[in-house]
Amino acid sequence: MFSLNIEFFGYFAAILTTAAFLPQLIKTIKTKSAEDVSLTTLIMFLAGVFSWIIYGYKISSLPIMTANILTFLLNFLILISKIIYSKK
Amino acid sequence: MFSLNIEFFGYFAAILTTAAFLPQLIKTIKTKSAEDVSLTTLIMFLAGVFSWIIYGYKISSLPIMTANILTFLLNFLILISKIIYSKK
């Protein structure tokens, strides 16, 4: 029962910190602007999330790999959107 | 040796995904604007990171707790900055 509670917090945390970037992507596409979003933050975060994917692979953790692959994809799309809209 | 490599990726990932938010905070304070930063993303991310802190506490993982407390503080300051500057 207690270990179920622990797992719950882990999965809840993973879902929230992954899904959190969807509203940012939607906002960026809607407003066609991500000027206030730091490019350095995006690049550092993507490098960090990529390291989490490698770490998840090395320790054979599917939840770590899945959550970080999704987080990577969402933030990569935010980065691409920022670059596209900053050229206008 | 191999396990050292694994730990390296874990710590490298944790440092990057934590420190990544410092440039966003500096940019927001410098430009006095975070209009393009999604409020929903910040709130969801803070809730997720808070859950990671609880998870880290429950599994007695100091690295998870430390990294997420710092990530929480940085993102909380970004949220406060966004709210302050949006009122102007």
Side-chain angles (χ1 to χ4, degrees), chain A residues 13-53:
Chain A
I15 291 166
L16 271 178
T17 50
T18 298
F21 297 102
L22 197 59
Q24 180 64 62
L25 179 62
I26 294 168
K27 186 187 175 91
T28 303
I29 291 168
K30 267 191 186 168
T31 62
K32 297 191 196 307
S33 169
E35 213 186 304
D36 296 336
V37 178
S38 163
L39 183 69
T40 318
T41 289
L42 281 173
I43 291 166
M44 281 175 76
F45 194 69
L46 280 168
V49 170
F50 188 75
S51 303
W52 278 126
I53 296 169

Side-chain angles (χ1 to χ4, degrees), chain A residues 20 24 33 35-36 38 41, chain B residues 20 24 27 33 35-36 38 41:
Chain A
Q24 180 64 62
S33 169
E35 213 186 304
D36 296 336
S38 163
T41 289
Chain B
Q24 180 65 61
K27 186 187 174 91
S33 170
E35 213 186 304
D36 295 337
S38 164
T41 290

Side-chain angles (χ1 to χ4, degrees), chain A:
Chain A
M1 231 3 212
F2 189 60
S3 80
L4 250 177
N5 273 330
I6 296 177
E7 289 304 297
F8 169 79
F9 274 107
Y11 282 108
F12 185 70
I15 291 166
L16 271 178
T17 50
T18 298
F21 297 102
L22 197 59
Q24 180 64 62
L25 179 62
I26 294 168
K27 186 187 175 91
T28 303
I29 291 168
K30 267 191 186 168
T31 62
K32 297 191 196 307
S33 169
E35 213 186 304
D36 296 336
V37 178
S38 163
L39 183 69
T40 318
T41 289
L42 281 173
I43 291 166
M44 281 175 76
F45 194 69
L46 280 168
V49 170
F50 188 75
S51 303
W52 278 126
I53 296 169
I54 295 171
Y55 180 75
Y57 175 77
K58 279 182 179 268
I59 66 162
S60 306
S61 167
L62 196 63
I64 291 181
M65 283 179 72
T66 313
N68 282 287
I69 286 169
L70 289 172
T71 304
F72 189 92
L73 284 176
L74 285 170
N75 278 278
F76 187 72
L77 290 173
I78 293 166
L79 176 67
I80 296 295
S81 308
K82 179 179 167 66
I83 292 166
I84 290 171
Y85 297 133
S86 71
K87 280 189 179 164
K88 289 191 176 176

